[in-house]
Amino acid sequence: MSQTKYIPYGRQCINEEDIQAVIETLRSDYLTTGPKIEEFEQKVASYCGARYGVAVSNGTAALHIACMAAGIGPGDEVITTPVTFVASANCVLYCGGTPVFADIDAETYNIDPEDIRRKITDRTKAIVAVHFTGQPCEMDEIRLIAKEHNLIVIEDGAHALGADYKGKKIGSISDMTTLSFHPVKHITTAEGGMVLTDNEELYRKLCLARTHGITRDTALMESGRSDEPWYYEQISLGYNYRITDIQCALGISQMNRLDEFVEKRRRLVQRYNEAFQNVSGIITPYQREGCYNSYHLYVIQITEGSRKEVFQALRSAGIGVNVHYIPVYTQPYYRSHGYADVCCPNAERYYQRAISLPLYPELTYEEQDYVIEQVLRCV
Ligand SMILES: *Cc1c(COP(=O)(O)O)cnc(C)c1O
């Protein structure tokens, strides 16, 4: 096939029903903070097997309010992975806490529970576990560590909507799980995010953090007054992290096709794996037994030759390959804020070789075959 159009590494899948859902909301009484938000929250929460969902303006805000609800503050350490988007660690800094990086497992690329154990101190308060590419972390082991050391577990599920760990949907396992609905993720609301939890107290804190720390619930108020119907109280310091009804209408419509999206991603992954499995110089993603990977990303490692040359050749061929991720602690901001000597060897070796190939539900087999052909040509 001769290639004419640019193939990105990820993109949204929008149909006529999605468009109609947004238009209907534009014609309704509420553009923001109307009925669509709760409907979306319930739809996602019930799909993931969680009691509560708190929808917010983006996945980073979801991580921030999750850290706030967890009570992270100055002096607290939170262990996370370096192979993630910076937001998974920045959320700890927002709260005045200290991110601590545990190395990844060389096979799964997820945080290594053994290294979590090594990084625990008296100040450790929580773990932010990122299900990288949609492959669930070792949650049994992480839960055990959390129980032994009395830690809160926040799962960054931005890559893992629709995934399951040993028969349990991601979102149903830990204290809190965060999601992102950025267009490259499994479903989109353009910008958007959510925190899932089963815990009523955390749920209340998340709702306060989302809207300025303001409540209209007299049971939560210091004065407890109920005689003035306009009355509200700000009882903590929160933010404006609201999502809109327009966005949630899109999200509700997208949720109807989530399973279909994940199946399509998995079929494409199967085709990539078959094409690359016996090719020397390429390591395909590790497939963990007993888990259902929802494949936000398809990452291969280039073990022979130059990853940079492969990357450039594919970009020149109109293929929007990417690298996920530069280890967070190597970012200049981190290096100049106490992380200059941090080194996670597995993460760094992984980073030298990783390349993400296009993967999204509407990627055609013809386009994928072109990608495969170009990859095989340059390794
Ligand atoms: C996308 C992403 C986020 C942040 O989500 P936004 O909606 O872009 O704020 C956080 N963590 C991971 C792992 C992500 O991939």
Side-chain angles (χ1 to χ4, degrees), residues 74-341:
D76 295 329
E77 293 178 356
V78 178
I79 299 175
T80 191
T81 173
V83 178
T84 185
F85 186 53
V86 291
S88 315
N90 287 348
C91 59
V92 177
L93 295 176
Y94 296 158
C95 294
T98 305
V100 172
F101 296 96
D103 206 354
I104 58 166
D105 177 280
E107 266 182 333
T108 65
Y109 316 148
N110 274 328
I111 195 166
D112 175 7
E114 284 311 306
D115 209 41
I116 294 178
R117 284 189 187 280
R118 286 190 282 268
K119 300 286 160 66
I120 285 177
T121 72
D122 294 347
R123 293 184 297 275
T124 308
K125 185 142 181 182
I127 299 169
V128 175
V130 183
H131 306 299
F132 181 66
T133 74
Q135 168 134 272
C137 295
E138 295 278 355
M139 290 315 299
D140 283 345
E141 197 54 32
I142 290 171
R143 274 158 62 86
L144 189 68
I145 295 168
K147 205 169 161 209
E148 283 170 18
H149 297 272
N150 198 21
L151 310 175
I152 291 166
V153 179
I154 299 169
E155 294 174 47
D156 180 344
H159 296 189
L161 180 57
D164 75 50
Y165 174 78
K166 299 186 179 174
K168 289 192 203 98
K169 273 255 150 42
I170 293 304
S172 68
I173 301 170
S174 298
D175 299 294
M176 288 176 276
T177 300
T178 66
L179 300 171
S180 164
F181 309 121
H182 180 276
V184 296
K185 308 287 162 73
H186 291 90
I187 65 159
T188 191
T189 58
E191 295 283 349
M194 196 178 289
V195 187
L196 300 169
T197 185
D198 280 345
N199 182 308
E200 196 181 341
E201 196 187 327
L202 290 173
Y203 172 69
R204 258 198 237 111
K205 288 180 177 168
L206 292 166
C207 291
L208 284 169
R210 169 175 60 183
T211 48
H212 312 276
I214 285 174
T215 185
R216 289 178 183 277
D217 180 349
T218 48
L220 298 179
M221 291 180 188
E222 285 188 11
S223 67
R225 55 209 279 184
S226 56
D227 52 331
E228 293 161 343
W230 63 85
Y231 190 69
Y232 60 81
E233 276 185 5
Q234 184 193 343
I235 58 172
S236 59
L237 184 61
Y239 295 83
N240 176 359
Y241 280 165
R242 290 189 306 261
I243 192 169
T244 66
D245 262 42
I246 303 168
Q247 291 169 294
C248 290
L250 177 57
I252 292 162
S253 180
Q254 289 261 300
M255 274 304 282
N256 294 332
R257 305 201 310 291
L258 172 59
D259 285 336
E260 180 194 318
F261 291 162
V262 172
E263 277 161 30
K264 283 189 174 158
R265 285 174 178 275
R266 289 174 55 91
R267 232 173 288 147
L268 290 162
V269 165
Q270 179 98 25
R271 292 183 90 247
Y272 273 139
N273 284 343
E274 279 162 14
F276 299 138
Q277 65 189 349
N278 295 316
V279 178
S280 80
I282 293 180
I283 297 176
T284 55
Y286 179 80
Q287 312 218 47
R288 205 174 176 291
E289 291 281 319
C291 287
Y292 187 82
N293 185 334
S294 58
Y295 284 107
H296 161 54
L297 297 172
Y298 186 80
V299 177
I300 56 173
Q301 287 193 71
I302 305 294
T303 57
E304 290 165 23
S306 154
R307 185 268 312 266
K308 189 173 171 188
E309 276 169 28
V310 173
F311 186 98
Q312 281 167 337
L314 293 172
R315 277 278 175 99
S316 313
I319 300 167
V321 286
N322 226 314
V323 173
H324 298 95
Y325 292 94
I326 303 165
V328 176
Y329 60 79
T330 67
Q331 294 292 347
Y333 182 83
Y334 278 84
R335 291 187 62 82
S336 64
H337 285 78
Y339 292 81
D341 296 329

Side-chain angles (χ1 to χ4, degrees), residues 38-69:
E38 207 175 304
E39 189 184 336
F40 182 49
E41 289 172 340
Q42 282 172 3
K43 194 155 185 160
V44 176
S46 90
Y47 178 94
C48 295
R51 218 165 130 201
Y52 304 105
V54 179
V56 289
S57 47
N58 56 65
T60 305
L63 283 162
H64 184 190
I65 65 170
C67 285
M68 288 170 70

